[in-house]
Amino acid sequence: MKRLFPDTPPPDDLYRMLVDNARDALVAIDADGRIVEWNAEAERAFGWSRVEILGVPLGDTIAAPVSVAMNASSLSLDLLSGKTAMPGASSAPDLVIRRRDGSWLTVALVVVPVEMAGTTVHFALLRTPSDRAVPAETASGTTALASMVLDNMSAAVVLTDAAGNVILANPAARGLLGSVTAGEALSALPLLQADRRTAYPEQERPLRRALDGHVVNGMLGYMPGSGDGEGTWLRIDALPLRDEAANLTGAIVVLHDVSRSVRAERALRHGLDEAQLMLEGITDYGIMMLDAEGFIISWNPGAERIFARDAASVIGTHSAELFTDEDRGVGEPVRELREARERGRSENNRWHVRADGSRFWATGTVMPLWRDDGSLHGFAKVLRDQTAERLADEQTRFLASHDALTGLANRVSFSNQLHNAMAQTQRTGVPFALLLLDLDRFKYVNDTFGHHAGDLLLKEVALRIVSSIRETDFVARLGGDEFVVIQADASQPQSAETLARKLVLELGRPFQLEGQEVQSGASIGISTYPADAGSSVELLKRADLALYRAKHAGRHTYQLYNGMTRAEQGWKRDREAALRAALKNQQFELYYQPQVDLGNWRVATVEALLRWNASELETVLPADFLSIAEQTGMIVEIGEWALREAAHQVRRWQSQGLSELRLSVNCSARQFSDARFVAMIPAILADAGMAPSSLALEVPESMLARHPAIKEQLAALRALGIRLMIDNFGTGATALRDFQDFAIDALKIDKAFVEHLPHRREDSAITSAIISLAHNLGIEVVAGGVETAEQLAYLKSRACDGAQGFIFSPPVPAERFEQLVKSGHWSRINPTTGVPDAGFNKLH
């Protein structure tokens, strides 16, 4: 018999293509009756896979028929097993075959004997009669098999002779190429172009290569469509055919229509190219692709910039290397990918590590990428460096709950911690102690060495307190020179006293401040919860009462609240009586501090400040008694006395040559809440003979923010010609834009912004902004707490209108102020030069 494929066995790729592309079940049996071929359609029709069935005797698969005569079935089996020899293709009666699931299938059978590898193999084409009739070919085995297989292939197959003329074209080829007739040159057909514009060179054409003896596998070609229609993309396989003498007899060309996949692939590649260009152009975001195991497979320039690692150094490494040691230790890399896989995304907001080991904060998302079949392809991870924003946010949160100077917790944090401690005690029954500390001689340090030294002292005090307490204790700065400690466990007898003694000793040791030895100390008041009070307010009040007793016991000591007698607890009632007696016995005195006009270098305004001469040896500052005066309402009466006294004094100075001198006095919310106080101001001015324009009322910004109702009363006073100044500006919650609806004449920048000028950039920027915005609104600006020539020079260079502070003079009695103005001593950098009076050390 003539061989279809002289090579033994036929080329695997073409052979498998012919067999697996047949639309009918194709089975082959060797001389021993064992199955040696079983194509894809046989797998589908009968249920056995090729792996399961190869080598199995055909008789074990095909059982005796049920509805067909035994001789017919026997004939079919004999034909397949080779027991009945036939010269060519033979048709046999129907055969009943058992499927893998046990059901039966009746098929029509065409058997073709083919010589392969020196032996005869019987190929059987199995068809169900209901599908289509079995052709009654009687040609040779080769022709029958070729016709049987080729006619039933979905791929287009063309056979040519050695000259390239068509011998045979199967139906699929005729459907693809149109009319293909025997003898026609295949090269004349328009199917051998490399793309839509260029034909293959002659030597590169698939048919030419096959006829030259080469095997062509998977060459891509294009067949133009009619007119402007879209053409067809083809995958071309070609194989040379030889006779028994190895002479080239022709070629077989197989064409697969791959238009859909080619167009899809090119569209995808175009989209990927555009996406790649887009990703490479993004530098603000780090974008990386991970495989299903979390290994990095792509890395854009944004990731290179953020992580400071180039793509070559990270591709192929696991994404866990981008995490911190802490996150890796708790399994964050694994958790992140698992969450993305299970929930569809995972938020990625954490610290990461750069190549140099530095850390940065990044926010982003990890998303899974799924294939069409539902399997996981990998992950897309997108990050953005948010380190600056994170640090700014942390700083903002820190400043909201901490003291900017010492870094300790502030009053807000203390209040929260105090309530937490009370709740903890209520749950556990373990008491805690509250220690309220006030520095001794702090004002002396400020007076003698300046506010800068005072700030350094507060920082050192904070460090010593922190080093003296346990980790479970809590310390905060309440303001000024006042600190508080919450001793978490005061269950042991005298535990609070032990800590207080330690703090007194520590804070009593000398401080070294920029080469100068400074002595301070501390007084401490102690209360305990729940023994001394049932609420946070009462607990703090009773610690304050104990602190007061410690100060009056000689300072540099501590006192317990629970040792006080009932009479001692009534000191506030006594203090109220003492204040009334002071007013009656004229124990109050006014001190005066100049405000200098920086434009003409003259004392433009004098601020009156209240002092209480409690005894010949003790002058009490307003901070120690004004709160009591506010609570009792005595502030109205004391304020009336102060305004009347100051107005008469300034009027005398005006008559002595200081005609343009103004008076400035501080007012409280309690005063403005009393209608009598507002009504008597014009009367006091008239009685003193002072014009309303010579009076300036200083209202703290915080009070204006908390008591907006007083704006109406202030507006009424301003309508009379009285000037209004916002004091301590920058410490409250009032914005400059609020003054568009509420007119004021001036504002005083709080000394907290002035004391670090010009060295602290933030304070310099805020001060400059306040001055600029105020001037744009037509508001004058005065700076408080000016102590150094550098501060003064900076303020003057920024066009600040006025200044007040120790660089000119501390608050002094009336006669001292008069001497300063007349002698010109206020204009010197050292305001105390030539004024031999210790009264200068009495500070505001």
Side-chain angles (χ1 to χ4, degrees), residues 480-536:
D481 60 342
E482 192 173 34
F483 298 82
V484 64
V485 174
I486 298 177
Q487 188 181 38
D489 184 353
S491 56
Q492 295 298 321
Q494 299 182 337
S495 57
E497 290 186 75
T498 300
L499 176 58
R501 280 194 295 271
K502 182 178 180 180
L503 290 171
V504 168
L505 289 174
E506 282 294 316
L507 301 179
R509 292 189 294 107
F511 293 86
Q512 296 295 326
L513 305 178
E514 295 186 336
Q516 300 187 56
E517 184 174 281
V518 175
Q519 195 77 34
S520 180
S523 299
I524 303 175
I526 306 170
S527 62
T528 58
Y529 180 85
D532 295 334
S535 70
S536 59

Side-chain angles (χ1 to χ4, degrees), residues 458-486:
L458 292 173
K459 292 180 180 179
E460 290 296 323
V461 167
L463 291 175
R464 292 191 186 184
I465 294 175
V466 170
S467 64
S468 300
I469 63 176
R470 301 168 300 185
E471 291 185 0
T472 54
D473 297 336
F474 176 87
V475 60
R477 181 189 175 201
L478 299 183
D481 60 342
E482 192 173 34
F483 298 82
V484 64
V485 174
I486 298 177

Side-chain angles (χ1 to χ4, degrees), residues 625-663:
F625 64 84
L626 282 183
S627 61
I628 302 172
E630 288 268 358
Q631 294 171 14
T632 61
M634 288 184 62
I635 189 65
V636 176
E637 190 175 355
I638 295 174
E640 180 184 357
W641 173 86
L643 179 58
R644 192 181 301 277
E645 182 72 16
H648 280 84
Q649 178 62 68
V650 171
R651 184 69 190 94
R652 283 194 294 271
W653 285 334
Q654 288 177 340
S655 64
Q656 294 172 6
L658 301 176
S659 58
E660 297 182 0
L661 185 66
R662 294 195 192 98
L663 168 65

Side-chain angles (χ1 to χ4, degrees), residues 632-774:
T632 61
M634 288 184 62
I635 189 65
V636 176
E637 190 175 355
I638 295 174
E640 180 184 357
W641 173 86
L643 179 58
R644 192 181 301 277
E645 182 72 16
H648 280 84
Q649 178 62 68
V650 171
R651 184 69 190 94
R652 283 194 294 271
W653 285 334
Q654 288 177 340
S655 64
Q656 294 172 6
L658 301 176
S659 58
E660 297 182 0
L661 185 66
R662 294 195 192 98
L663 168 65
S664 175
V665 295
N666 287 287
C667 299
S668 69
R670 182 66 177 80
Q671 288 171 283
F672 282 102
S673 66
D674 193 311
R676 294 176 303 162
F677 177 76
V678 178
M680 68 185 174
I681 292 177
I684 291 175
L685 295 177
D687 181 63
M690 178 186 288
S693 60
S694 295
L695 175 64
L697 299 179
E698 293 192 21
V699 181
E701 183 193 9
S702 57
M703 184 189 79
L704 195 65
R706 291 195 302 266
H707 305 280
I710 70 172
K711 291 181 180 180
E712 184 177 346
Q713 295 165 309
L714 292 173
L717 291 172
R718 189 172 186 273
L720 297 176
I722 296 173
R723 289 171 57 83
L724 298 180
M725 176 181 285
I726 303 302
D727 193 16
N728 305 123
F729 187 81
T731 61
T734 304
L736 283 172
R737 63 178 300 173
D738 294 338
F739 302 144
Q740 294 175 336
D741 301 323
F742 173 67
I744 63 169
D745 298 285
L747 57 85
K748 184 184 290 185
I749 301 174
D750 188 76
K751 64 182 181 181
F753 297 107
V754 175
E755 60 185 343
H756 296 294
L757 294 178
H759 304 294
R760 184 180 289 178
R761 184 181 63 183
E762 294 82 358
D763 290 347
S764 299
I766 292 173
T767 301
S768 296
I770 291 174
I771 295 172
S772 177
L773 291 174

Side-chain angles (χ1 to χ4, degrees), residues 443-444 447-448 589 591 611 613 616-617 619 621 806 809-813 815-817 819-820 831-844:
K443 294 188 181 298
Y444 168 78
D447 293 350
T448 306
E589 182 182 5
Y591 276 44
R611 299 290 186 266
N613 296 319
E616 292 183 1
L617 300 177
T619 297
L621 298 178
F806 282 24
S809 171
V812 294
E815 61 272 17
R816 298 290 186 269
F817 176 80
Q819 292 175 10
L820 285 174
T832 61
T833 301
V835 184
D837 196 302
F840 272 50
N841 290 327
K842 297 177 181 180
L843 306 182
H844 172 41

